Amino acid sequence: MTIQPRGPGGDRPLPTVTIGVSIGLPEPHASRVQRARRSFGDAQADAIRTHVTLLPPTEVSRGSLPSVTEHLEAVAGSHPRFPMILNGTQSFRPVSPVVFIAVREGDDRCRELAQAVRAGPLTRPLEFEYHPHVTVAHHVPDDALDAAAAQMAEFQLSFEVAEFQLYVQDGGGHWQPVRSFPLTFDGACGPRYRPDDPPGDRPSEAVRER
């Protein structure tokens, strides 16, 4: 880990750190969505790269980061690459003031990944049921949400998901990428890793790196 969030005085590393795990969109599409999100007045537009969340902001102890990394390595090594198709906009209103680009293909694989990530050292409840999506406007006025829904309605993107990323939130509230985890499971390596398996039942490092 290279990110060292510090306290208000900047003198000592914080004892805890807030992390997130997500699938990034490829360029130039990620920047296109980010620019659009900025144009709708979303204050979080520049805080993080355009993504599909697997693990929402989660506070962990700094000492647990090695086990978190090991856990994410195992998850990535037990899941294959998969195609994703994004198309059109939807909204979580009235429950939450969010407009997003819908995941039309790959949502089941996202759910599998997210469930695997949110296990072991990252076990946690969710405030809302997990729904993979790409946010384009959040906590902005209704007219801005309407504009986001209309302007991004024709957005389409197909790509292969080959990895996911671990992010750490810095002292300014921005999310810094720390490490990528390639999806390497090819179906010929034996049974897939389940986060609650005892260590002796997990795929070996050699298998996970195939």
Side-chain angles (χ1 to χ4, degrees):
M1 293 289 175
T2 58
I3 302 298
Q4 296 287 327
R6 296 179 179 272
D11 52 345
R12 293 183 301 172
L14 295 170
T16 62
V17 62
T18 301
I19 67 171
V21 179
S22 64
I23 297 168
L25 269 62
E27 294 292 357
H29 313 283
S31 293
R32 175 190 169 191
V33 174
Q34 189 172 33
R35 288 193 300 270
R37 186 170 179 176
R38 190 184 305 123
S39 75
F40 302 134
D42 191 327
Q44 294 298 307
D46 296 313
I48 189 170
R49 299 176 184 178
T50 308
H51 65 282
V52 175
T53 296
L54 296 176
L55 177 76
T58 300
E59 187 174 282
V60 300
S61 67
R62 185 166 296 280
S64 71
L65 288 176
S67 63
V68 167
T69 300
E70 181 181 4
H71 167 66
L72 294 177
E73 287 176 343
V75 170
S78 63
H79 286 78
R81 299 182 176 198
F82 61 94
M84 178 176 286
I85 297 178
L86 306 175
N87 184 13
T89 53
Q90 296 180 359
S91 177
F92 290 135
R93 291 185 285 180
V95 176
S96 183
V98 178
V99 168
F100 59 89
I101 298 169
V103 178
R104 301 297 185 182
E105 182 176 335
D107 57 330
D108 288 344
R109 290 295 179 86
C110 286
R111 293 176 195 278
E112 288 181 9
L113 262 181
Q115 184 176 11
V117 167
R118 295 192 317 271
L122 294 178
T123 300
R124 53 155 295 170
L126 295 178
E127 182 179 2
F128 301 105
E129 181 181 355
Y130 178 72
H131 185 95
H133 66 280
V134 177
T135 298
V136 293
H138 185 202
H139 283 311
V140 296
D142 282 342
D143 58 346
L145 291 172
D146 292 340
Q151 292 182 33
M152 300 301 290
E154 301 302 319
F155 183 90
Q156 297 184 45
L157 175 62
S158 300
F159 67 102
E160 182 182 60
V161 177
E163 62 183 13
F164 59 78
Q165 292 78 36
L166 170 66
Y167 285 81
V168 169
Q169 191 175 43
D170 64 23
H174 288 71
W175 292 90
Q176 305 296 341
V178 173
R179 180 173 169 183
S180 294
F181 296 84
L183 303 175
T184 57
F185 184 77
D186 64 6
C189 303
R192 290 167 63 171
Y193 159 64
R194 296 183 300 274
D196 294 327
D197 286 345
D201 293 337
R202 298 180 183 182
S204 68
E205 289 294 334
V207 168
R208 293 208 301 266
E209 292 178 357
R210 287 184 57 179

